[in-house]
Amino acid sequence: MTRPEIRVEDLHKSFGGNHVLRGIDLEIAQGEVVCVIGPSGSGKSTLLRCVNLLEEPTGGRVFVGDTELTDPDVDIDAVRRRIGMVFQQFNLFPHLSVTENLTLPQRRVLRRDRATAARVAAENLARVGLSEKADAFPSSLSGGQQQRVAIARALAMGPEVMLFDEPTSALDPELVGDVLAVMRRLAEDGMTMMVVTHEMTFAREVADRVVFMDGGVIVEEGSPDRVIGDPRHERTRHFLSRLLDPAMAEVEEETPDQVGKAEA
């Protein structure tokens, strides 16, 4: 059996009195693509951020490979070099060119020399189909191109796993396809990926497994055909019906604990 590349054991996270994650257990095998879906406030993004300790878990353990990130003595900076992260926003330096955005973290964090960093940057820009934008500045790029640069920047660090937090949610619909195509190629190349997304077509076609979360717990998980095509739980069916056919959704009253609840 392929060893887990990511392992989460009994993970809890609270923000004050808000218990966002309630005992999550999850394993992602080497080379596996797992899409995490669920409504706003379900804990998806918090789970993702706990995997590289951008959020400190309240309880439980997180492993990447054989290294426990939640061990107080771990060199978290060293472990994070093995984890690529792509956010909703692109977080590019506006005053730097595309190439400089890719070479700066390599030189600062990995201590690569200028020539090596430039070569790796060029290789990864080609990988996302943006070689011709090497000298451009972020302001001249579309949102989809900026997100592809952000993916190339993460890949230039040589990660073992990639985490994606709603990477297409800030994009105009016509720009989504190019970003998803890059992610699809990464999956085909065997990259271990954990993707928080609302893109059900991507999840159906690319994911090895889909995890549905609600209320800070994993409600069900399985193959895309099973979870998306034939969900077992009413909560999953209700979420998918609203997502896949929003015109048919009925207005619902918010419960007191939903009012003001931010995406977690």
Side-chain angles (χ1 to χ4, degrees), residues 80-113:
R80 281 186 179 140
R81 291 171 197 155
R82 298 159 53 190
I83 306 170
M85 181 92 181
V86 178
F87 300 90
Q88 297 178 31
Q89 302 300 325
F90 323 122
N91 299 322
L92 301 177
F93 292 112
H95 63 290
L96 299 180
S97 70
V98 165
T99 293
E100 290 168 335
N101 266 282
L102 268 67
T103 57
L104 181 64
Q106 295 183 64
R107 294 171 59 200
R108 292 281 179 86
V109 178
L110 302 180
R111 303 297 180 186
R112 287 176 178 159
D113 61 70

Side-chain angles (χ1 to χ4, degrees), residues 142-172:
S142 70
Q145 290 171 333
Q146 290 187 59
Q147 189 63 293
R148 285 152 64 194
V149 171
I151 294 172
R153 178 180 56 187
L155 292 172
M157 303 298 284
E160 298 171 14
V161 304
M162 287 285 288
L163 309 178
F164 293 87
D165 187 6
E166 294 280 11
T168 61
S169 65
L171 302 180
D172 291 334

